[in-house]
Amino acid sequence: MREILYLTKRNSLVYLRDRRAVFFSILSMLIVLGLMVIFLGSMNSQDLVALLQQYGGERDLAQDEENAERLIQMWTLAGILVVNSVTVTLTVIGIMVQDEEQSRLASFYVTPVKRGKLVLGYVLAAWLTGAALSILTLAAGEIYMVLKGWGLLPIAVLAAMCGMIFLNTFVYASLGYLLAMFIHSYSAWGGMLTIVGTLVGFAGGIYLPMSAFSERLQTVLKCLPVLQGISMMRRVCLEEITETTFEGMPPQAVEIFQEKMGITLTAGEEIISVGAQFSILMLYGILAIGIAVILNKRRKLRDRTN
């Protein structure tokens, strides 16, 4: 256990001491936030207000605008939290690729420390560091909401969101480690991170709502953990504000909006429950670790025979 804690601490500090890595992790978050708040968020808010005014009968325009802005900002925040879970954890996992490229990983292999503990050292560092930065992002988002005069989310909702942050970062730390086993150049890993950082916003329905994609592409995206994680996060944090915003509207209008914006996902005609989404994400994480362990053992046997 002591070796695992030491390795986790070492890998976390390697990432945190690399100011450029931390800076660009935060910068990517700020870029997405800026795009959403300044451009896409405003557009989505206006579309929502138009929908409420068209189908809601006699309504208070000023109140609808405020509710719509709050709903879209929280919708944005939920997406950013999951994007952080992906980008930060993969950046920390990149330490393993860097260690291999600089022959430090080979040095670890000849020590008495078991390979399983080395694996946990990398995965736990990525998991905990990613979760910590994502929770800081949540705190920053809540401060922004308070400054806007909207108040804090209920403690139960914040606790649930923190739990989902830990779940998402666990999934991407596991998947990231599995992916890193096939990449042996840190420059290649950096290029892969650029591609992932670009695609994750689209895969999670952040840059464009789900309704902008074809049904076939929506089906593919629903199989990815990114969209399931974002949907789960949004359903929890948007429940109260959605009820307030759509007060007086028929239930069908709420259902259509939630499906259009990727808040709820369907399999056939049935809405995928939060419990099912939790299970899907856990399955991704467990499978990734299981496959990585098997591959690591085979690599160990191959190393012995060489």
Side-chain angles (χ1 to χ4, degrees):
M1 187 65 182
R2 182 178 299 177
E3 293 92 342
I4 296 174
L5 293 176
Y6 172 80
L7 290 167
T8 301
K9 179 180 178 181
R10 177 260 178 188
N11 295 329
S12 299
L13 290 176
V14 168
Y15 167 74
L16 294 174
R17 286 172 179 169
D18 187 345
R19 296 180 180 179
R20 289 180 300 176
V22 176
F23 171 76
F24 283 111
S25 295
I26 296 174
L27 181 62
S28 63
M29 173 197 72
L30 293 177
I31 290 174
V32 175
L33 180 61
L35 286 173
M36 289 301 304
V37 172
I38 298 174
F39 299 108
L40 301 178
S42 177
M43 180 180 66
N44 289 329
S45 297
Q46 293 172 1
D47 290 345
L48 177 54
V49 171
L51 175 67
L52 294 172
Q53 293 295 313
Q54 183 175 358
Y55 297 103
E58 295 293 331
R59 301 184 64 88
D60 185 338
L61 177 60
Q63 188 62 52
D64 280 345
E65 289 177 343
E66 181 177 351
N67 290 337
E69 183 183 4
R70 183 182 180 188
L71 191 155
I72 294 301
Q73 298 296 346
M74 292 176 65
W75 180 87
T76 302
L77 178 61
I80 291 173
L81 292 175
V82 178
V83 170
N84 270 11
S85 299
V86 178
T87 56
V88 175
T89 52
L90 291 183
T91 302
V92 179
I93 285 292
I95 294 170
M96 187 189 83
V97 180
Q98 192 174 38
D99 285 343
E100 181 178 4
E101 186 177 51
Q102 298 177 359
S103 301
R104 286 193 291 263
L105 193 59
S107 300
F108 289 148
Y109 284 161
V110 298
T111 65
V113 180
K114 295 181 179 179
R115 288 199 177 189
K117 293 181 179 179
L118 291 173
V119 172
L120 287 176
Y122 289 113
V123 172
L124 286 175
W127 183 12
L128 297 177
T129 305
L133 290 181
S134 295
I135 289 174
L136 284 176
T137 304
L138 174 60
E142 284 298 281
I143 291 172
Y144 171 78
M145 300 294 178
V146 170
L147 293 177
K148 292 284 289 185
W150 295 331
L152 293 171
L153 289 170
I155 298 299
V157 174
L158 289 174
M161 292 180 71
C162 288
M164 292 177 185
I165 286 172
F166 275 101
L167 173 61
N168 278 280
T169 47
F170 162 72
V171 171
Y172 299 116
S174 304
L175 290 171
Y177 181 84
L178 177 61
L179 181 61
M181 295 182 70
F182 300 95
I183 299 178
H184 309 290
S185 166
Y186 192 67
S187 60
W189 183 260
M192 187 277 299
L193 282 179
T194 301
I195 296 173
V196 170
T198 303
L199 294 180
V200 69
F202 291 99
I206 297 174
Y207 301 141
L208 295 172
M210 287 296 293
S211 59
F213 301 122
S214 65
E215 290 188 8
R216 183 173 298 179
L217 182 55
Q218 288 184 37
T219 300
V220 173
L221 294 178
K222 289 175 186 178
C223 297
L224 302 178
V226 174
L227 185 57
Q228 296 293 340
I230 290 178
S231 170
M232 183 171 61
M233 190 82 71
R234 285 172 175 166
R235 289 177 70 177
V236 170
C237 71
L238 294 178
E239 182 176 2
E240 182 179 348
I241 184 60
T242 300
E243 292 179 0
T244 302
T245 302
F246 284 86
E247 184 178 4
M249 298 279 288
Q252 293 82 0
V254 181
E255 293 174 2
I256 292 173
F257 173 80
Q258 289 178 327
E259 186 174 354
K260 174 183 177 180
M261 298 299 291
I263 300 171
T264 58
L265 302 177
T266 58
E269 296 184 356
E270 296 293 327
I271 295 177
I272 303 173
S273 67
V274 172
Q277 291 174 325
F278 181 92
S279 300
I280 291 170
L281 290 174
M282 282 296 296
L283 182 62
Y284 265 102
I286 293 171
L287 284 177
I289 289 180
I291 295 171
V293 169
I294 293 172
L295 293 177
N296 211 31
K297 287 181 178 179
R298 290 183 177 179
R299 175 184 290 183
K300 185 175 182 179
L301 291 173
R302 186 169 60 251
D303 290 344
R304 286 178 175 177
T305 57
N306 290 337

